[in-house]
């Protein structure tokens, strides 16, 4: 019996040979975790493509523009503050103020001779003063240097000054001139006689005249001499004016004699309207003059004085039965001398704060030729002596002087310039 052999087919052992993903896994050895379970994730190609497909937000120049605008606003505010500060320091202009300050430097020799038969008035400024004679105007610094001399040619001359300018006119005449150091800023002839005038620290000046069609007229000019305001007073005569130091307002006093006795009014104008901003009646007394300081202005009457604030028109008043023979107004305050018209040796001296409030009062025996204020110290010429008092009336120092000394200007805490009709001397007050 034949046995049939079968062909044996040997199949490959696929289990022994590893391929593909399983083979790769078999070759990698597992790493120890060591307790760190964070898994580092990597985006797939699809995820990268999706991220690239997302549009980017372009901020452009918006933030840069905002920063520039903010910088410009800050610069603008700073420039405005600087301009405001410069205007407060140099209201008439930087060039004018600095040039005048430069020309004011120097010292001179005493005694100083002045031309003219008599001194009419003396007006003080911070570091210099003006002397008006019947023929000339002198500007002299506190060290005795004559800064400027000007021949005015007016009869019955009147002088008004500011920090950098002087206005000179003839009472009842038709001409006036505005001067700064060694230079005529403006000169004009008016159609009618001049009654009153004033000049401010900003250079704005004003002139009141009689009028052909009205009782009187007020003219206001800017610092270059351009007419910026005009007010016609139909029935009353303007008798005194004073400008605020910044030149933005003016106080005007008027007198009416149509009734049995004189009556007065005080008006405040701000140049934006022909009508007055405020009007105050003085029906029972007569207004003599107006005096301005940095806070407001004084109204001097035959019954005392009142004070008005430029901003809110608040009023403080001081009535008196005595006659006001002298009134000196400074930014540090004011002083007034009251006495009986029949006896000029019995005096009452008032010290008034810059806000117009009377703070102290004391008596002084003797004829007073002149009185001045520096800070809270009061300087007096009486007969052949010059005195320094504090504001309470306590005598601090005194010194002998010539009997013919009529005016004084304070040039230091214990030094004064004394003036007779033709000569200026410096005196140290030590005793």
């Amino acid at each position: 019996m034949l046995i049939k052999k079968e062909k044996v087919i040997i199949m490959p052992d696929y289990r022994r040979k590893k391929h593909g993903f399983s083979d790769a896994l078999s070759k990698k050895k597992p790493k120890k975790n060591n307790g760190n379970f964070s898994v580092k994730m990597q985006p797939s190609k699809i995820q990268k493509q999706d991220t690239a497909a997302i549009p980017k937000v372009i901020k452009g120049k918006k933030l840069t523009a905002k920063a520039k605008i903010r910088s410009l606003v800050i610069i603008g505010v700073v420039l405005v503050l600087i301009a405001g500060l410069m205007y407060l320091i140099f209201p008439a202009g930087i060039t004018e103020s600095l040039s005048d300050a430069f020309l004011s430097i120097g010292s001179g020799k005493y005694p100083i001779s002045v031309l003219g038969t008599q001194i009419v008035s003396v007006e003080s400024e911070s570091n210099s003063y003006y002397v008006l004679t019947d023929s000339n105007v002198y500007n002299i610094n506190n060290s005795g240097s004559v800064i400027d001399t000007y021949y005015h040619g007016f009869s019955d001359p009147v002088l008004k000054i500011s920090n950098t300018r002087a206005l000179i006119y003839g009472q009842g005449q038709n001409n006036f001139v505005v001067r700064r150091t060694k230079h005529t800023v403006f000169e004009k002839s008016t159609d009618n006689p001049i009654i009153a005038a004033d000049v401010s620290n900003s250079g704005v000046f004003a002139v009141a005249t009689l009028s052909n069609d009205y009782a009187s007229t007020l003219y206001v000019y800017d610092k270059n001499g351009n007419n910026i305001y005009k007010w016609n007073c139909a029935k009353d005569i303007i008798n005194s004016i004073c400008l605020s130091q910044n030149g933005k307002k003016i106080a005007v006093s008027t007198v009416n004699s149509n009734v049995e006795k004189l009556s007065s009014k005080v008006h405040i104008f701000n140049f934006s309207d022909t009508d007055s901003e405020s009007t105050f009646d003085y029906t029972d007394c007569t207004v003599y003059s107006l005096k301005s300081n940095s806070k407001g202005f004084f109204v001097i009457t035959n019954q005392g004085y009142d004070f008005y604030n430029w901003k809110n028109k608040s009023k403080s008043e001081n009535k008196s039965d005595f006659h006001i023979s002298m009134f000196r107004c400074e930014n540090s305050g004011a002083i007034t001398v009251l006495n009986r018209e029949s006896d000029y040796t019995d005096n009452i001296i008032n010290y008034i704060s810059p806000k117009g409030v009377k703070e102290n009062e004391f008596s002084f025996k003797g004829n007073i030729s002149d009185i001045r204020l520096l800070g809270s110290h009061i300087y007096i010429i009486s007969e052949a002596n010059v005195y320094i008092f504090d504001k309470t009336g306590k005598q601090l120092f005194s010194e002998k002087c010539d009997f013919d000394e009529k005016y004084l200007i304070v040039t230091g805490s214990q030094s004064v310039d004394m003036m007779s009709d033709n000569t200026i001397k410096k005196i140290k007050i030590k005793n």
Side-chain angles (χ1 to χ4, degrees):
M1 179 175 186
L2 294 173
I3 297 172
K4 194 177 184 174
K5 294 182 180 179
E6 293 183 3
K7 190 177 180 178
V8 178
I9 299 172
I10 300 172
M11 299 294 293
D13 188 2
Y14 289 101
R15 290 176 301 175
R16 294 181 182 178
K17 191 175 181 179
K18 302 184 185 288
H19 298 278
F21 185 73
S22 60
D23 185 50
L25 290 175
S26 63
K27 290 181 180 179
K28 290 182 179 180
K29 294 181 180 180
K31 295 181 180 180
K32 294 182 180 180
N33 202 315
N34 296 329
N36 184 4
F37 293 98
S38 61
V39 180
K40 186 176 181 180
M41 303 295 291
Q42 293 184 351
S44 64
K45 291 183 179 181
I46 297 176
Q47 288 175 329
K48 289 182 179 179
Q49 289 178 356
D50 291 344
T51 304
I54 297 174
K56 293 181 179 180
V57 178
I58 300 175
K59 295 182 179 179
K61 297 183 178 180
K62 188 174 181 181
L63 294 178
T64 305
K66 285 184 177 180
K68 287 182 177 180
I69 292 172
R70 191 182 299 110
S71 300
L72 289 174
V73 170
I74 293 172
I75 293 171
V77 171
V78 171
L79 290 176
V80 169
L81 292 175
I82 292 174
L85 181 62
M86 297 302 285
Y87 177 78
L88 290 175
I89 300 173
F90 310 111
I94 298 176
T95 304
E96 179 172 330
S97 300
L98 292 181
S99 64
D100 288 354
F102 178 78
L103 292 171
S104 300
I105 298 173
S107 59
K109 294 182 179 181
Y110 292 91
I112 303 169
S113 298
V114 296
L115 297 175
T117 59
Q118 64 174 344
I119 293 177
V120 178
S121 66
V122 180
E123 300 292 339
S124 64
E125 202 265 316
S126 57
N127 296 312
S128 66
Y129 59 90
Y130 289 83
V131 178
L132 174 68
T133 73
D134 53 3
S135 61
N136 290 72
V137 178
Y138 293 86
N139 185 204
I140 304 170
N141 72 9
N142 289 347
S143 298
S145 176
V146 179
I147 303 166
D148 188 24
T149 303
Y150 175 72
Y151 174 77
H152 57 73
F154 296 121
S155 59
D156 198 10
V158 181
L159 172 68
K160 298 289 183 177
I161 72 164
S162 68
N163 283 348
T164 59
R165 296 186 176 189
L167 189 155
I168 312 104
Y169 68 96
Q171 187 76 51
Q173 297 177 56
N174 294 55
N175 300 283
F176 70 93
V177 61
V178 178
R179 293 273 300 176
R180 49 175 285 217
T181 305
K182 298 182 179 180
H183 177 67
T184 296
V185 178
F186 188 74
E187 189 172 7
K188 183 178 176 60
S189 296
T190 59
D191 295 332
N192 295 282
I194 298 172
I195 307 168
D198 195 26
V199 60
S200 72
N201 288 344
S202 67
V204 173
F205 58 95
V207 176
T209 71
L210 296 175
S211 176
N212 294 328
D213 301 320
Y214 303 91
S216 54
T217 300
L218 170 71
Y219 302 90
V220 182
Y221 303 86
D222 65 16
K223 66 179 183 178
N224 298 316
N226 301 308
N227 185 217
I228 58 174
Y229 189 76
K230 180 180 178 181
W231 179 64
N232 294 310
C233 190
K235 298 179 181 180
D236 301 339
I237 299 293
I238 298 170
N239 72 324
S240 185
I241 62 175
C242 72
L243 284 156
S244 62
Q245 293 188 355
N246 61 12
K248 295 182 178 181
K249 291 186 179 183
I250 189 170
V252 180
S253 65
T254 62
V255 178
N256 190 312
S257 59
N258 292 332
V259 293
E260 294 182 357
K261 62 180 180 179
L262 294 175
S263 63
S264 301
K265 291 182 179 181
V266 174
H267 309 270
I268 300 176
F269 297 94
N270 61 15
F271 311 146
S272 63
D273 197 343
T274 54
D275 295 329
S276 62
E277 184 180 281
S278 301
T279 299
F280 308 95
D281 289 318
Y282 284 82
T283 55
D284 298 328
C285 61
T286 303
V287 174
Y288 291 151
S289 63
L290 307 175
K291 302 288 185 181
S292 176
N293 70 5
S294 59
K295 302 294 183 181
F297 64 94
F298 292 91
V299 179
I300 295 92
T301 73
N302 62 333
Q303 297 181 5
Y305 58 86
D306 297 333
F307 181 82
Y308 294 90
N309 187 289
W310 284 116
K311 293 183 178 181
N312 54 25
K313 282 80 68 179
S314 61
K315 175 183 176 182
S316 63
E317 60 181 37
N318 190 292
K319 300 295 183 182
S320 176
D321 295 330
F322 293 92
H323 164 73
I324 295 179
S325 60
M326 292 184 184
F327 194 97
R328 303 295 189 202
C329 183
E330 304 288 347
N331 284 336
S332 60
I335 45 175
T336 181
V337 177
L338 300 98
N339 46 41
R340 295 181 179 88
E341 295 186 46
S342 59
D343 185 5
Y344 285 91
T345 63
D346 185 13
N347 304 285
I348 298 174
I349 298 173
N350 288 344
Y351 172 80
I352 308 160
S353 75
K355 295 182 179 181
V357 179
K358 184 180 76 172
E359 292 188 355
N360 296 95
E361 178 180 291
F362 63 94
S363 61
F364 180 86
K365 301 297 181 180
N367 286 305
I368 296 177
S369 300
D370 198 6
I371 186 168
R372 301 284 169 175
L373 177 67
L374 178 65
S376 60
H377 288 170
I378 299 167
Y379 299 72
I380 297 174
I381 300 177
S382 178
E383 300 171 352
N385 294 280
V386 56
Y387 303 92
I388 302 178
F389 294 87
D390 67 14
K391 64 182 182 180
T392 65
K394 179 183 177 182
Q395 181 178 318
L396 304 176
F397 303 97
S398 67
E399 190 66 57
K400 292 289 184 180
C401 65
D402 293 339
F403 194 83
D404 60 348
E405 305 291 359
K406 297 180 179 179
Y407 298 95
L408 71 85
I409 286 293
V410 183
T411 57
S413 60
Q414 288 182 245
S415 64
V416 296
D417 280 11
M418 311 281 291
M419 297 152 214
S420 61
D421 284 333
N422 302 104
T423 306
I424 302 172
K425 301 175 182 178
K426 182 173 285 295
I427 292 180
K428 298 290 185 179
I429 308 171
K430 299 178 180 179
N431 299 323

